[in-house]
Amino acid sequence: MAKVYPSATASSRPSFSAPPASSSEAATLTVWRKSLLFHGYGFTVFDSKGNLVFRVDNYASGSRAEIVLMDADGKPLLTIRRKKLSLGDHWLIYEGEAAGKPKFAVKKHVNLIGSRSPVHVTPCSPASESCLGYEVEGSYSRRCCVVYDDRRRQLAQIKRKEAAAGVALDADVFRLIVEPGFDAAFAMAIVILLDQMFGSRGSLLRV
């Protein structure tokens, strides 16, 4: 397998920041479905310069029913938990490691005749958010998805990644393109939940 980004080391990486809202350029991240921990499950995410920006490290023997998205230094940014006593795939996203009121609820849309929007994301406090909700369209298994807001504006996109020689990498390595003004950590949380719902290699949670 081709190298993803060999330059990502703890001692050399600068802190990551998404482009400002006034920027006309999107942030392109490389997502690797592999934990930095030996015998672990998770994700490692790099920016366009090869610097580590996000990580998810779940031990194979872990029993905590949650997934924590961290920055490059291991600081928790968002925590994802399955909603208790709910039917189907219904998840909650919390700020940091807080166990208080969740920020977003994410639900897998079940429709026997099919739906172009298999995942719906809604703020838990709509009055505090500028957007009433988000929808994800496309196929995660094919690494071809788009996140839209309630005004049908494209905010993030998942695409297959190609090596320098033009050869497509396997599905464990792909691009996450985040539009200016959209929270890159939140976009990555959506990726994690898509993997939980539609990933072919099973859940990151071992519960």
Side-chain angles (χ1 to χ4, degrees), residues 38-55:
F38 187 62
H39 291 316
Y41 295 84
F43 288 91
T44 306
V45 185
F46 306 91
D47 65 13
S48 59
K49 297 181 180 179
N51 301 305
L52 178 66
V53 292
F54 300 128
R55 54 188 287 190

Side-chain angles (χ1 to χ4, degrees), residues 62-176:
S63 60
R64 299 174 67 190
E66 65 180 30
I67 303 171
V68 179
L69 174 66
M70 300 176 289
D71 67 11
D73 296 314
K75 177 184 177 181
L77 301 175
L78 297 170
T79 297
I80 300 168
R81 300 185 178 102
R82 188 187 293 271
K83 186 176 182 180
K84 297 179 180 179
L85 304 177
S86 64
L87 298 176
D89 273 320
H90 197 171
W91 302 77
L92 300 172
I93 300 176
Y94 297 80
E95 189 80 33
E97 288 186 298
K101 187 176 180 61
K103 288 182 63 66
F104 295 95
V106 184
K107 190 172 183 180
K108 182 178 180 180
H109 183 67
V110 178
N111 189 336
L112 295 178
I113 62 174
S115 172
R116 68 177 185 176
S117 302
V119 175
H120 298 267
V121 185
T122 55
C124 294
S125 299
S128 64
E129 298 292 335
S130 59
C131 178
L132 298 178
Y134 306 89
E135 291 189 348
V136 182
E137 298 183 4
S139 170
Y140 176 75
S141 62
R142 297 178 181 177
R143 303 300 187 260
C144 183
C145 296
V146 179
V147 179
Y148 294 100
D149 67 5
D150 55 349
R151 296 170 60 184
R152 293 292 299 172
R153 293 178 298 184
Q154 181 174 314
L155 302 178
Q157 185 177 13
I158 297 171
K159 298 179 65 175
R160 295 293 297 268
K161 180 179 174 66
E162 293 186 349
V167 179
L169 300 173
D170 65 31
D172 283 349
V173 181
F174 53 95
R175 294 187 186 277
L176 173 61

